[in-house]
Amino acid sequence: LYNDRGNIPEAQKHFEESLSLAQQIGHRHLEGTMTHHFSRMFLSLEDWQQALDYANRSLVILKEVGDIENLVDVYVHMGQANLGLGNNEAAQHWGQEALQLFCRMEGSKAPAQAENRGRALRLLGEVAQRNDECDRAAALLQESADIFFTIGDQLEQGRAALALARLAICQGEAALGQQHLEKARKIFHNLGANLDLQQADQLVDR
């Protein structure tokens, strides 16, 4: 919650305390979970290398303890960090790995897993946009947005709208981009998602 609201110092404090405790008592699953949270925090700060480092740590630990469900989201984090670093092929690889793992899992229609699938599709849409595959990007991003709408995830709906805004603006469709952007900004404002709102405002300023 602190992370989503942009209160990074408080989020980092809680993460560090939990990670330290996990390491002290030898609780590997909790250690893997907390390194995963650190990865998410650094992604929100666009500190791509730190995000990748923590994602790699969580990947090793969660595989070790057999936590397959959370691996889907870890793969997405790996992809997002690589995309931020400009490693498009690696980002594509991890997005595809996330979708393949999702398809192999039982109970993959549960809301939590549907959310992970939506994130994986958004990642692949952003990779497609980076590769100038605009039609593919639009289809993937819209599919992602539809998933978040269906499960009622407001924050991810905002992030999906922001991704669609970036694509539309990149394609020169200013009016459509503005429509998506205003939707995203309204959601972020209502939720108090300050870091997401800052990202949206940066797009306004371009």
Side-chain angles (χ1 to χ4, degrees), residues 57-175:
R57 288 175 61 182
S58 61
L59 176 66
V60 171
I61 296 171
L62 293 179
K63 276 189 172 181
E64 174 190 312
V65 300
D67 184 354
I68 303 301
E69 284 194 15
N70 281 317
L71 277 178
V72 176
D73 204 27
V74 172
Y75 289 170
V76 173
H77 283 196
M78 296 284 289
Q80 290 173 325
N82 273 289
L83 185 65
L85 290 167
N87 303 327
N88 292 3
E89 288 187 14
Q92 175 84 13
H93 165 78
W94 287 112
Q96 290 174 337
E97 285 288 307
L99 283 184
Q100 289 171 10
L101 181 57
F102 173 88
C103 291
R104 293 197 301 268
M105 289 172 55
E106 294 182 3
S108 58
K109 293 184 179 179
Q113 286 306 316
E115 182 177 301
N116 288 339
R117 182 171 184 268
R119 289 185 183 129
L121 289 167
R122 185 172 67 226
L123 167 63
L124 290 172
E126 290 170 341
V127 173
Q129 180 182 343
R130 187 77 64 86
N131 291 333
D132 294 323
E133 300 170 347
C134 292
D135 289 344
R136 174 174 163 76
L140 288 165
L141 292 177
Q142 188 57 59
E143 186 178 356
S144 171
D146 291 344
I147 288 172
F148 296 132
F149 178 78
T150 298
I151 65 176
D153 188 321
Q154 283 283 304
L155 180 58
E156 293 296 348
Q157 285 180 55
R159 290 169 176 168
L162 182 57
L164 285 165
R166 289 189 178 115
L167 176 62
I169 291 170
C170 182
Q171 292 180 291
E173 299 180 24

Side-chain angles (χ1 to χ4, degrees), residues 22-43:
Q23 291 170 332
Q24 287 173 20
I25 65 177
H27 197 309
R28 292 290 280 169
H29 186 260
L30 179 58
E31 184 180 351
T33 300
M34 296 318 301
T35 52
H36 182 51
H37 287 323
F38 265 110
S39 176
R40 179 178 290 118
M41 182 186 77
F42 284 115
L43 284 173

Side-chain angles (χ1 to χ4, degrees), residues 177-198:
Q178 186 65 26
Q179 179 183 336
H180 288 306
L181 184 58
E182 285 306 311
K183 177 181 178 180
R185 294 182 74 246
K186 181 177 180 180
I187 291 172
F188 297 150
H189 176 76
N190 290 342
L191 294 177
N194 296 320
L195 287 179
D196 291 282
L197 185 57
Q198 288 175 23

